[in-house]
Amino acid sequence: MGAYRERLSVPVSWWIIAAAAVVTLFVITAVPAGTLAGTLVAGVALVLLLTFFIQYGGARVEVDAERFRAGRALIERAYLGEVEALTGDDARHAFGRDCDPKAYLLLRSYVRGAVRVEITDPRDPAPYWVIATRAPERLAAALSGNSVARS
């Protein structure tokens, strides 16, 4: 059985843009209202952005011998059916026009690949999961039990 672990962290470019936004907020507030007001506004913005980036980018995708975890969802591997690695348009369409509304999705806009996993548990309302991943082939192999992969 394959093992796999990935954290869907936000990209560095988002952190750079956030830092520029915080500095901009400081300047546009501090110039007319003073340094204290600028510091307060920038501080609040910094805390909000940090919280959002850490929570949004904290989604984990993990596969071990018994379970598959994607974000907050967890399922026993015994209930996994067909696994398909998706890239390019296939991945984009899986999250959009080809998506079943009952499917479980772990979508991250900055991640280009995905894996679709059929769910065979008759009690589970989701017919399949579509999980964003930076390494669709490695995750698919781990879920299929074909190799051990770590990222």
Side-chain angles (χ1 to χ4, degrees), residues 4-140:
Y4 182 88
R5 185 168 286 146
E6 177 180 15
R7 184 166 183 250
L8 301 177
S9 306
V10 297
V12 173
S13 62
W14 284 31
W15 291 100
I16 293 168
I17 292 166
V22 168
V23 170
T24 301
L25 284 171
F26 171 78
V27 171
I28 65 173
T29 305
V31 169
T35 304
L36 179 61
T39 302
L40 288 173
V41 169
V44 169
L46 179 63
V47 168
L48 290 173
L49 286 167
L50 283 174
T51 302
F52 174 72
F53 284 2
I54 290 169
Q55 284 187 340
Y56 189 70
R60 294 188 183 276
V61 178
E62 298 176 347
V63 178
D64 63 26
E66 294 91 31
R67 292 176 207 86
F68 174 36
R69 177 183 306 273
R72 292 186 219 151
L74 175 70
I75 191 166
E76 300 295 319
R77 288 186 62 167
Y79 297 115
L80 301 182
E82 246 182 84
V83 178
E84 180 183 9
L86 305 169
T87 57
D89 284 342
D90 291 336
R92 197 175 80 248
H93 295 314
F95 285 114
R97 73 170 194 203
D98 297 338
C99 185
D100 184 325
K102 294 183 289 184
Y104 173 74
L105 306 177
L106 180 63
L107 169 64
R108 293 297 180 262
S109 60
Y110 48 84
V111 177
R112 300 284 181 228
V115 171
R116 182 180 9 237
V117 183
E118 177 187 20
I119 304 301
T120 61
D121 183 354
R123 297 169 295 158
D124 194 326
Y128 60 86
W129 290 7
V130 180
I131 308 303
T133 177
R134 289 184 175 92
E137 296 296 334
R138 289 184 14 216
L139 177 55

